[in-house]
């Protein structure tokens, strides 16, 4: 082993390496690899690019690659569908960038008291939003949270059937199909495309004695706000099943908490809470439920509990680790590992900054901007907004009359105008080309007017 | 409420070891040991444990059962038994004794599983699962128990046949079970809501084993708590110490002797032999299972042997190895090697079996 | 060297919960109002929502002025022992330095503010890095294709289980192949995720050398075997030299072999999963590849497969057509998505940058130095009174970590590994990791130095452990009741395990606080008594 000088490997330099070899009484590090059979050893060197050991060279190289992207600074992004362009307060970046949090890992009650408190506060602030006493730290993403909650509800009810809304996020449905494969495949309940509302009669028909869990999105994937929540919950419970509602937490400044109208589990995505899109890397979820032992017993994640400290203060301890796959191993019914706790800390900062007034104001701002945009877009010849007269939050469906139009072609044309158009939901819509447009607090009037103008031009 | 520890010391325990004698049962052996200059050490070991416990829990109240034996007199197990009973009646939270397997047996006779028991090792023979590894380890475990940090389990009380042992023949007996705290090397902890993790693990294991027995399949169930759980899953009640034959939810031979089993096997087709590791040494055949003789094992067939153990039980065994000691060296050799062990619903482990 | 404890005391702010800092009317951030034209054109937006669907009362979020929020979270950060702050050698975690330059690189707006659904034309940078790193991982691991969609090691291992499931399903054999074999010292996810995926799990116990023998595998394989999923070297740091024979045995019955390379740090440039015959593997980019651990996440797994399994990788797959990168969604055999979108892109960028900094020679230096550091620690820690090394018959050098035992010290003093762990905090270092379940080594502690540390840091850790061990023998009280100088006083963590007293949110705490002073139920028992 030749000496290697690099700041990341201090003991590979000649001096320290020699000292270590001498301390061990060996001539070469090869002696330490004696257990590995010779025929398994790499012959020669790995086929990797020539390295850039100097910081400025590395930085230039990667920056040049990143420069080939376009982001919200270059384009107007009107796309959501699971990852949304929202404002990220400076403090969120500051705190998630702090080295103490960034480079922490599995320290416990005493060594990482700060991290535990921050994530407990995440649990608390989400709990305040959704109106529930039990909230998990971040999960892998919102779909994973929903999947875990649905299977938990099935275990609690002792049934395996899962019912989902027909117009739910198809990618999340796909994730769900994979996850519940060993137990039962989800069945769809009809949603009225015109209104986005769940078909209660079809729900009743689908609520057989084998159904343990029903999933609902609020707002729905297509942006519509479900107004029959209580009626849905009533039917679900009457059939002996449990209701899992997936939310956009940003909407909970203006919309009622689903636990108020009967949700047993609430799940959601925390990326809208002060986390950049990061090309999809900002996704993370949460699960919330009531403070009942039999429900908590089925949560697969770490859970941070407050606990009394000597002298009257409050500390934090990890609760009942025997629920998690770390302990259950080969009997695990769900799995958990390193997830996205750093984004949970960012979300805690965000909610602490916004406060109740801020969240309510923001919710209204988003609704106004997106309604303004929907009306503007609906005025463009050849464009319809089917849910224009329904209440929706942040996202809405846009359809196109032009014969032969495809969302792909329209989006490509919009791109030439510096605009990222909505997510293609044509297959879900079954009635010609349809896209899901997203408008947030980041889109000012000028941006929205530009969108309408560009659409008009693209479709003419 | 300050915890109350009842203390029983067998002052002659351990006498034999230091002077090269195998155990201290029998008045002649004690006399010889003392003559050879052996110093009773059980008292000193208990004192060390109590001092360490007091340092951890200043409020612990120590209730003495007194020296159970006249150090110069004979092995009066009756004194141990009286002392233990007095302490149990006094309502102590934990009965702490210093001694060896002999003392453990006396404690078992005295209190059964009525009060939690923990042994400070001071004897020569300590095969019972009720002993901590050292006086300080005992203090740590007792302190954990009082803090609510250790679970209670049924722990085997084993003892060797003294005469056979000195004649070079190893033959052990399972005498019964006491309940005691143990610092498990955990695989499953206590479940939310307080249901003991080990109980849930046993339920899953028993259900899995039961599911492998078709209708009409007779099963010989060895002793122990695991086998009792399997019997329950099959709808039968079972003795803790004996070997029973079960079929279709009914016990058709209770506490069977070897002859009973052979007779039953003569007419049974496709019988299974189900055993669990016993004691801290993990014996599946041999110790405590004498009724399941080598002849019985051969009649059933090695491929019809099912070994069942929870992951926590396996974790507690030294090197997770199971032991066989049937007395038939050829059979022991055939049994040795690696074997699948049922550990839960749809779950198995592969463990080494050593002869 | 000065005494290792050196008067350390962690910051102890006694910082209230954010909810308890609330002052009516305080504002932390103003969302701003809409322009008059928007108010005119859409001011009725909220009113269109039926009253019963609207929020009746504002959520119980705290009202805190901005700079107090700054101070609050800054103080919490100060009470967290990240790698940036102090030595961290937590076993199985592969703690190492996360280069600061990577953090600056990924802050670029053209990475942070990119939507994954954008036209690939606008994602050429992201796709280029994903594509290139894919090829680099193939070279490192001896595989044919990688995906970075899973967001952690456990999720990467789950992906392996799903790939094995899809492979057998495609051959019509899933019905009869329902068993996955793993080992007791593999990560719990190697046992858990195949079970979640629908398999029965057979766990091999270690043999006399501390890892499973081939004879154990023999007892486990059968026509029902779907595959083998294990970690090697295992969490004990011991490498199983028969690994190739293991793979061949499982292949012989038609099973697949998945290599969990969570402990792959010592093998970079030394041995590759593909060369040992493995069909699939996974690496933790937030461990081995230097991406920061993120206070338990920004996780990302690199899952690699050989050619026959490529078609099963989840969509979308990054493609290169001449000079343009694209995303291929048309993959009829793909397993269902494991997670949203493409994966933790910034974490992949950091891993890419790390490999680009070091190159093949550097990766090898990383591996060899990690092993050298680990054996230096082993040589010194084993001499501390009270330490035992499990499976002493196995005299082969450990690779990147060691699972030690305090059993002699425990028997001599009654002090436990958990108590020593907590005393370490008083010495200003992040504590070690005892063991994953099953805890087969009594009173375990697992230490993994990695390649980032200096000799001085390692000597400090050795001195720290030696000092605490001496305390166990000479003044055990100080260890029993540790820590004394941490960010928080002693916590009654049994409260966290009792449904009557646990509190996972501020609102629950308000309800449960009264119960904290009542005597606890017998049901409250703490996990992991060692």
């Amino acid at each position: 082993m030749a000496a290697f000088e690099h700041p990341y490997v201090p003991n590979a330099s000649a001096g320290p390496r020699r000292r270590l070899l001498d301390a061990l009484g060996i001539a070469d590090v090869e002696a330490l690899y004696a257990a590995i059979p010779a025929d398994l050893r790499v012959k020669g060197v790995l086929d990797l690019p020539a390295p850039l050991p100097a910081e400025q060279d590395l930085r230039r190289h990667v920056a040049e690659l990143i420069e080939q992207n376009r982001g919200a600074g270059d384009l107007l992004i009107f796309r959501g569908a699971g990852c949304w362009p929202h404002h990220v307060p400076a403090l969120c970046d500051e705190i998630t960038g702090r080295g103490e949090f960034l480079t922490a890992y599995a320290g416990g009650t005493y060594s990482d008291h700060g991290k535990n408190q921050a994530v407990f506060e995440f649990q608390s602030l989400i709990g305040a939003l959704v109106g529930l006493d039990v909230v998990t730290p971040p999960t892998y993403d919102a779909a994973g949270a929903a999947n875990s909650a649905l299977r938990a509800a099935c275990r609690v009810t002792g049934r395996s059937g899962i019912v989902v809304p027909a117009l739910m996020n198809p990618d999340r449905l796909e994730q769900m199909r994979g996850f519940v494969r060993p137990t039962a495949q989800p069945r769809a309940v009809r949603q009225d495309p015109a209104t986005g509302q769940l078909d209660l009669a079809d729900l009743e028909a689908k609520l057989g004695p084998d159904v343990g869990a029903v999933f609902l999105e609020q707002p729905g994937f297509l942006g519509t706000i479900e107004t029959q929540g209580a009626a849905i919950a009533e039917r679900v419970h009457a059939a002996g099943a449990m209701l899992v509602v997936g939310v956009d937490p940003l909407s909970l400044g203006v919309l009622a908490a689903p636990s108020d109208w009967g949700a047993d589990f609430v799940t959601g995505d925390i990326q809208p809470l002060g986390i950049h899109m990061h090309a999809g890397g900002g996704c993370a979820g949460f699960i919330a439920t009531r403070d009942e032992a039999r429900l908590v017993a089925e949560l697969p994640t770490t859970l941070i509990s407050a606990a009394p400290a000597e002298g009257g203060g409050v500390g934090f301890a990890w609760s009942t680790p025997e629920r998690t796959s770390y302990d259950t191993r080969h009997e695990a019914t769900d799995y958990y590992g390193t997830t996205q706790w750093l984004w949970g800390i960012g979300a805690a900062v965000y909610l602490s900054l916004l406060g109740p007034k801020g969240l309510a104001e923001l919710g209204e701002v988003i609704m106004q901007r997106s309604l303004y945009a929907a009306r503007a877009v609906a005025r463009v010849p050849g464009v319809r907004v089917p849910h224009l007269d329904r209440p929706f939050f942040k996202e809405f469906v846009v359809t196109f009359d032009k014969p032969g139009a495809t969302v792909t072609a329209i989006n490509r044309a919009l791109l030439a105008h510096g605009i990222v158009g909505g997510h293609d939901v044509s297959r879900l819509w079954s009635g010609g080309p349809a896209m899901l447009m997203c408008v947030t607090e980041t889109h000012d009037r000028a941006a929205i007017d530009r969108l309408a103008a560009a659409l008009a031009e693209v479709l003419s | 409420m300050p915890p109350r520890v009842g203390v029983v010391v067998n002052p002659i325990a351990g006498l034999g070891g230091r002077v090269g004698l195998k155990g201290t049962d029998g008045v002649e052996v004690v006399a010889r040991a003392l003559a050879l200059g052996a110093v009773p050490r059980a008292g000193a070991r208990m004192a060390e444990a109590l001092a360490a416990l007091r340092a951890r829990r200043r409020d612990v109240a120590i209730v003495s059962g007194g020296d159970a034996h006249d150090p110069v007199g004979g092995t009066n197990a009756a004194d141990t038994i009286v002392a233990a009973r007095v302490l149990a009646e006094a309502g102590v939270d934990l009965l702490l004794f210093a001694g060896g397997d002999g003392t453990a047996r006396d404690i078992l006779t005295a209190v059964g599983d009525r009060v939690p028991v923990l042994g400070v090792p001071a004897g020569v023979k300590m095969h019972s699962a009720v002993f901590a590894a050292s006086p300080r380890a005992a203090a740590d475990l007792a302190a954990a128990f009082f803090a609510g940090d250790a679970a209670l389990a049924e722990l085997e009380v084993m003892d060797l046949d003294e005469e056979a042992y000195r004649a070079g023949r190893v033959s052990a007996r399972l005498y019964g079970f006491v309940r005691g705290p143990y610092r498990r090397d955990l695989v499953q902890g206590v479940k939310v809501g307080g249901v003991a993790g080990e109980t849930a693990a046993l339920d899953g294991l028993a259900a899995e084993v039961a599911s492998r027995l078709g209708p009409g399949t007779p099963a010989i169930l060895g002793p122990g708590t695991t086998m009792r759980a399997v019997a329950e899953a099959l709808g039968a009640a079972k003795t803790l110490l004996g070997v029973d034959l079960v079929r279709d939810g009914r016990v058709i031979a209770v506490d069977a002797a070897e002859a009973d089993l052979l007779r039953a096997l003569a007419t049974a087709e496709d019988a299974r032999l189900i055993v669990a590791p016993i004691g801290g040494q993990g014996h599946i055949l041999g110790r405590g299972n004498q009724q399941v003789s080598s002849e019985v094992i051969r009649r059933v067939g090695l491929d019809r042997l099912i070994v069942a153990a929870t992951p926590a039980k396996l974790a507690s065994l030294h090197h997770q190895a199971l032991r066989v000691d049937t007395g038939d060296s050829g059979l022991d050799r055939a049994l040795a090697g690696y074997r699948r062990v049922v550990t839960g619903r749809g779950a198995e482990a592969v463990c080494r079996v050593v002869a | 060297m000065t005494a290792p404890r050196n008067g350390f005391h962690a910051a102890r702010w006694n910082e209230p919960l954010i909810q308890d800092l609330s002052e009516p009317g305080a504002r932390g951030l103003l969302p701003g109002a809409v322009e008059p034209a928007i108010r005119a054109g859409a001011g009725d937006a909220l009113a269109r929502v039926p009253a019963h669907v609207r929020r009746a009362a504002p959520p119980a979020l705290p009202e805190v002025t901005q700079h107090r929020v700054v101070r609050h979270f800054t103080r919490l950060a100060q009470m967290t022992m990240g790698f940036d702050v102090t030595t961290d050698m937590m076993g199985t975690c592969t703690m190492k330095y996360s280069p600061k330059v990577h953090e600056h690189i990924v802050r670029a707006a053209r990475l942070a503010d990119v939507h994954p659904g954008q036209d690939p034309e606008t994602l050429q940078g992201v796709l280029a890095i994903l594509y290139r790193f894919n090829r680099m991982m193939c070279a490192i691991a001896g595989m044919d294709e990688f995906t970075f969609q899973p967001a952690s090691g456990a999720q990467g291992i789950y992906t392996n289980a799903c790939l094995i499931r899809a492979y057998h399903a495609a051959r019509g054999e899933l019905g009869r192949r329902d068993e996955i074999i793993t080992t007791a010292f593999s990560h719990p996810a190697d046992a858990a995720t195949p079970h979640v995926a629908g398999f029965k799990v057979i766990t091999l116990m270690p043999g006399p050398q501390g890892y499973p023998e081939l004879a154990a595998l023999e007892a486990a394989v059968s026509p029902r075997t779907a595959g083998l999923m294990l970690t090697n070297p295992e969490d004990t740091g011991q490498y199983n030299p028969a690994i190739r024979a293991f793979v061949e045995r499982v292949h012989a019955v038609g099973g697949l072999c998945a290599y969990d390379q969570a402990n792959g740090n010592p093998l970079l440039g030394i041995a590759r999963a593909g060369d040992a015959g493995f069909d699939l593997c996974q690496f933790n980019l937030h461990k081995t590849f230097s991406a920061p651990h993120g206070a338990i996440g920004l996780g990302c797994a690199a899952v690699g497969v050989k050619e026959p399994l490529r078609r099963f990788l989840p969509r979308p797959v990054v493609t290169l057509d001449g000079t343009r990168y694209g995303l291929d969604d048309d993959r009829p055999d793909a397993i269902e998505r494991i997670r949203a979108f493409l994966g933790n892109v910034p974490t992949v960028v950091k891993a890419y940058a790390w490999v680009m900094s070091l190159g093949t020679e550097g990766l090898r230096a990383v591996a060899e130095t990690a092993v050298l550091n680990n054996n230096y620690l082993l040589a010194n820690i084993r001499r501390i009174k009270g330490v035992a090394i499990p499976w002493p018959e196995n005299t082969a050098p450990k690779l990147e970590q060691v699972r030690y035992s305090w059993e002699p010290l425990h028997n001599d003093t009654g002090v436990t590994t958990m108590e020593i762990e907590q005393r370490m905090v008083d010495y200003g270092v992040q504590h070690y990791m005892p063991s994953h379940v099953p805890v087969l080594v009594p009173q375990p502690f697992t230490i993994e130095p990695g390649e980032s540390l200096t000799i001085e840091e390692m000597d400090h850790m050795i001195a720290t452990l030696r000092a605490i061990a001496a305390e166990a023998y000479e003044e055990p009280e100080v260890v029993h009741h540790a820590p004394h100088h941490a960010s928080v006083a002693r916590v009654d963590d049994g409260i966290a395990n009792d449904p009557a007293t646990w509190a996972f949110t501020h609102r629950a705490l308000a309800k449960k606080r009264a119960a904290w002073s009542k005597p606890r139920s017998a049901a409250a028992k703490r996990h992991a008594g060692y």
Side-chain angles (χ1 to χ4, degrees), chain C residues 46-59:
Chain C
L46 192 49
R48 294 169 1 129
V49 181
H52 73 277
V53 181
R54 258 183 281 154
R55 184 144 205 142

Side-chain angles (χ1 to χ4, degrees), chain B residues 57-147:
Chain B
R57 279 298 290 255
R58 292 184 212 290
D59 64 339
V60 74
I62 294 174
V63 184
S64 173
D67 275 355
H69 300 265
D70 172 356
V72 183
T75 53
N76 196 341
D79 294 338
T80 301
I81 292 169
V82 165
R85 283 204 175 126
V86 163
L87 291 169
E89 254 126 66
V92 296
D93 297 300
L94 178 70
L95 184 60
L96 195 63
F97 72 94
D101 284 333
T103 323
R105 239 169 75 199
D106 295 337
I107 300 284
L108 169 69
T109 306
V111 303
D113 62 1
R114 284 190 348 255
V115 60
V117 169
L118 175 59
V120 176
V124 176
K125 308 165 294 157
M126 287 175 295
H127 296 105
S128 303
V130 68
F131 290 99
S134 71
R136 299 280 178 116
D140 175 57
L141 186 47
F145 176 61
F146 296 139

Side-chain angles (χ1 to χ4, degrees), chain A residues 164-384:
Chain A
V164 301
L167 299 175
M168 76 173 279
N169 184 328
D171 283 346
R172 294 188 182 184
L173 178 60
E174 181 192 326
Q175 253 181 272
M176 188 186 298
R177 288 196 190 289
F179 186 67
V180 303
R181 212 173 239 279
T183 46
Q185 278 307 296
R187 268 173 271 152
V189 178
R190 191 179 166 272
Q191 276 174 299
D192 182 357
T195 60
Q197 306 297 292
L198 208 66
D199 183 332
L200 293 183
D202 197 36
L203 174 66
E204 279 177 12
K206 297 278 171 32
L207 279 173
D210 65 317
V211 173
V214 175
F215 182 61
L216 194 64
E217 289 171 320
Q218 178 73 310
F221 175 58
L222 299 179
T224 53
I225 293 173
E226 176 61 67
T227 59
Q228 311 166 104
I232 292 168
E234 209 180 291
R235 281 157 177 75
V236 170
H237 294 149
M242 299 183 92
L243 181 61
V244 176
V245 179
V247 298
D248 178 344
L250 267 193
S251 71
L252 293 177
V254 293
L255 297 184
S259 58
D260 287 352
W261 42 266
D264 300 293
F265 289 87
V266 175
T267 64
D269 212 311
I270 65 172
Q271 183 266 323
L273 301 175
I275 300 158
H276 293 271
M277 294 186 286
H278 289 301
C283 294
F286 69 88
I287 308 170
T289 190
R290 294 187 296 274
D291 193 354
E292 293 170 21
R294 68 179 185 133
L295 299 181
V296 172
E298 300 304 333
L299 294 176
T301 71
T302 305
L303 278 171
I304 299 180
S305 173
E310 260 166 35
V314 171
F316 304 93
W318 291 12
S319 166
T320 49
E322 63 270 10
R323 294 168 298 101
T324 72
S325 55
Y326 283 101
D327 275 33
T328 55
R329 283 188 67 107
H330 54 268
E331 298 185 332
T333 49
D334 204 332
Y335 67 91
Y336 194 67
T338 303
T339 48
Q340 307 276 64
W341 285 28
L342 191 67
W343 296 154
I345 295 176
V349 173
Y350 183 82
L351 290 171
S352 302
L353 285 172
L354 263 195
K357 275 218 189 78
L359 190 64
E361 287 167 12
L362 179 61
E364 192 166 6
V365 161
I366 289 174
M367 292 193 75
Q368 288 173 342
R369 290 192 181 283
S370 51
L371 179 58
Y372 178 84
R375 284 174 173 159
V377 158
R379 283 193 292 272
V380 173
V383 177
R384 292 174 204 276

Side-chain angles (χ1 to χ4, degrees), chain B residues 87-329:
Chain B
L87 291 169
E89 254 126 66
V92 296
D93 297 300
L94 178 70
L95 184 60
L96 195 63
F97 72 94
D101 284 333
T103 323
R105 239 169 75 199
D106 295 337
I107 300 284
L108 169 69
T109 306
V111 303
D113 62 1
R114 284 190 348 255
V115 60
V117 169
L118 175 59
V120 176
V124 176
K125 308 165 294 157
M126 287 175 295
H127 296 105
S128 303
V130 68
F131 290 99
S134 71
R136 299 280 178 116
D140 175 57
L141 186 47
F145 176 61
F146 296 139
D149 289 345
L152 280 180
E154 282 161 306
L155 304 170
E156 296 93 340
V157 172
M158 316 275 297
D159 201 4
L160 285 180
D161 181 334
E162 285 287 332
E163 293 281 343
Y165 189 57
R166 268 194 291 282
R169 250 190 315 118
V170 166
S171 160
R173 270 202 64 185
L174 169 67
Y175 280 88
F177 293 82
V178 291
R179 291 178 76 234
Y182 76 121
R183 221 29 162 344
R184 284 175 304 186
D185 290 322
L186 273 173
V187 178
Q188 284 171 328
V190 176
K191 287 258 163 69
V192 170
V195 177
E198 193 59 3
T199 305
L202 266 179
D203 288 346
L205 172 58
E208 175 67 27
V209 173
S211 73
R212 297 187 183 203
L213 303 173
T217 306
I220 301 172
L221 300 182
T225 53
T226 306
M227 291 298 103
R228 182 180 58 188
V230 170
E232 266 170 38
L234 291 168
K238 193 193 170 307
T239 62
L240 204 49
L241 285 188
V243 177
D244 301 346
L245 185 64
V246 176
R247 184 175 57 209
D248 293 328
R250 279 177 29 253
V251 178
I252 54 183
V254 176
D255 201 1
E258 182 194 2
D260 302 321
L261 294 174
L262 289 171
R263 199 172 27 245
L265 283 173
T267 53
E269 284 169 19
D270 200 34
R272 297 283 190 283
L273 170 58
I274 313 179
V275 292
I278 294 292
Q281 305 296 308
H283 278 86
I284 53 171
L285 294 166
R287 307 262 172 101
N289 252 325
Q290 279 79 359
Q291 309 87 315
V292 182
S293 64
S294 53
E295 185 55 35
V296 169
I297 299 166
R298 285 189 193 281
R299 288 270 187 97
V300 169
L302 290 194
D303 57 333
R304 299 229 164 86
L305 170 66
I306 299 175
V307 181
T310 62
K313 181 63 179 177
L314 287 183
S316 70
L317 301 176
H318 181 67
H319 285 180
Q320 290 70 58
L322 306 171
R323 279 166 210 288
V324 293
D325 186 10
T326 63
D328 177 337
S329 56

Side-chain angles (χ1 to χ4, degrees), chain A residues 1 33 42 52 61 67 74 79 83 102 111 121 133 174 227 252 276 291 319-320 332 375 388 390, chain C residues 41 48 52 55 72 110 113 115 117 195 266 270 294 315 337 352 356 368 430 496-497 507 511-512:
Chain A
M1 168 194 175
Y33 283 116
V42 170
L52 302 166
H61 165 74
E67 276 302 295
D74 311 291
R79 175 176 289 223
C83 180
L102 185 68
S111 60
E121 290 178 358
D133 284 354
E174 181 192 326
T227 59
L252 293 177
H276 293 271
D291 193 354
S319 166
T320 49
R375 284 174 173 159
L388 191 60
R390 306 284 317 175
Chain C
R48 294 169 1 129
H52 73 277
R55 184 144 205 142
H72 177 76
R110 283 184 172 168
D113 297 325
H115 191 290
H195 191 255
I270 303 289
R315 308 173 296 122
R337 287 180 159 279
Y352 171 79
M356 287 304 297
E368 292 177 341
Q430 183 56 272
N497 295 320
R507 45 186 278 154
K511 299 173 195 168
K512 296 279 192 63

